[in-house]
Amino acid sequence: VGKLNGEEFEGGKAEDAALVIGSGQFIPGFEDQLVGVKTGDTRTIKVTFPADYPAENLKGQEAEFDITVKQVKVETETKVDEDFATSLGLDSLDKLKELVRGQLEQQTAGLTRTQMKRQLLDALAAGHDFEVPQGMVNAEFEQIWAQLQQEASREENPQDALKEIQNERDEYRAIAERRVRLGLLLSEIGQANGVEVTAQEMSMLIQQAAQQYRPEDRDRFVQYVQQEPMAAAQLRAPLYEDKVVDFLFDKAEITEREVTQEELEAAIEAEETAEPKPAAKKKVAAKKKAPAKKADDKAPAEKAEKKAPAKKAAEAKPAAKKAPAKTAAEKKAADKTPAAKTAPAKKPAAEKAAPKKAAPKKAPAKKAAKK
């Protein structure tokens, strides 16, 4: 239990919190005072929050934490055998191996799909060039820029980080325009081919997003999304995009090529490192996170936007001016996806998030596919 001037403060209490001594997980000085404790010990930890701590009310403040040590563990080498498998609640070592194998296959399938989706979006972007509403581009850019500024403010040298992203402002503007154009194009393809997000799928999305909040705030978050169409649209957009992408995968001619997982990860990382970065990351000790926001403190809106950055355009109809007609979009899907293009140097972050579901049926696990 954490206290400021003898009074408990919000976010300073935790139950059954695990801590590895020397990990830097908590604020400086906290872990040092736990060296040598035994199970059942109670201590009062006195620390000072860093001047750059994220929570304004805690910056530079002296605090005390009353702690009780419930268990002390020492890392040892684990022997993977029948006893270990049964200690995990499994029937046998073979069951454990089967479980691990399935997880690895799922991970590889996710990486494969990420690379395939990137190639597909590159091909669509290269094959379609039409004017997009500048209002949508401005809104998209403002969202990207706000996120970059927030990330830069957490760097070791915020001023240098802000200066660096300022030098790349035009590149991020181009990313915003690409996102909007792809969103309009995918929306047109989806609408022309009857792609939909069902009410059941939407309900599952809301419940999954609600798990990010404290139990007492989850009902308020669900109500918020149900009452705010924009928040619901932002949750819906990523799933809608994935369903359109799956539709295009089914229409595409896919060439399979065997690669190792390391080669696949290296290919994805190579494209990611080509993106403009807000600032060079420096290794610093991890700090204790700020207390969770309450649901009525605009956190749901912020969470929803972060969940689906820059994809709210995905369901809007394309601008009439120079936009491709529906027949063009349908023809693009029906003509089979064109050959994969070289990934552009700057790519929207939203296109790089590894999907949570398995690869489509035409992209088997452990195989990187090219269109």
Side-chain angles (χ1 to χ4, degrees), residues 57-74:
N57 63 315
L58 298 178
K59 288 183 177 180
Q61 294 290 324
E62 294 183 356
E64 293 184 353
F65 289 86
D66 295 328
I67 63 101
T68 299
V69 181
K70 293 187 174 181
Q71 191 175 30
V72 177
K73 294 183 178 181
V74 179

Side-chain angles (χ1 to χ4, degrees), residues 10 37 80 95 132 153-154 166 173-174 187 209 223 234 258 276 347-348 359 365:
E10 184 180 2
V37 296
V80 181
K95 287 291 185 181
V132 294
S153 67
R154 294 195 292 265
Q166 188 66 44
R173 177 82 185 184
S187 176
Q223 293 174 5
Q234 288 169 338
E258 287 192 10
K347 194 178 301 294

Side-chain angles (χ1 to χ4, degrees), residues 78-101:
T78 301
K79 184 178 181 180
V80 181
D81 54 15
E82 292 289 343
D83 291 339
F84 177 72
T86 54
S87 71
L88 297 176
L90 300 173
D91 295 336
S92 64
L93 180 59
D94 287 339
K95 287 291 185 181
L96 175 59
K97 291 180 179 180
E98 182 181 342
L99 178 63
V100 173
R101 186 181 301 109

Side-chain angles (χ1 to χ4, degrees), residues 167-180:
N167 292 336
E168 297 169 339
R169 188 182 182 92
D170 290 344
E171 297 174 45
Y172 285 112
R173 177 82 185 184
I175 288 175
E177 184 170 332
R178 171 187 161 103
R179 282 186 181 181
V180 171

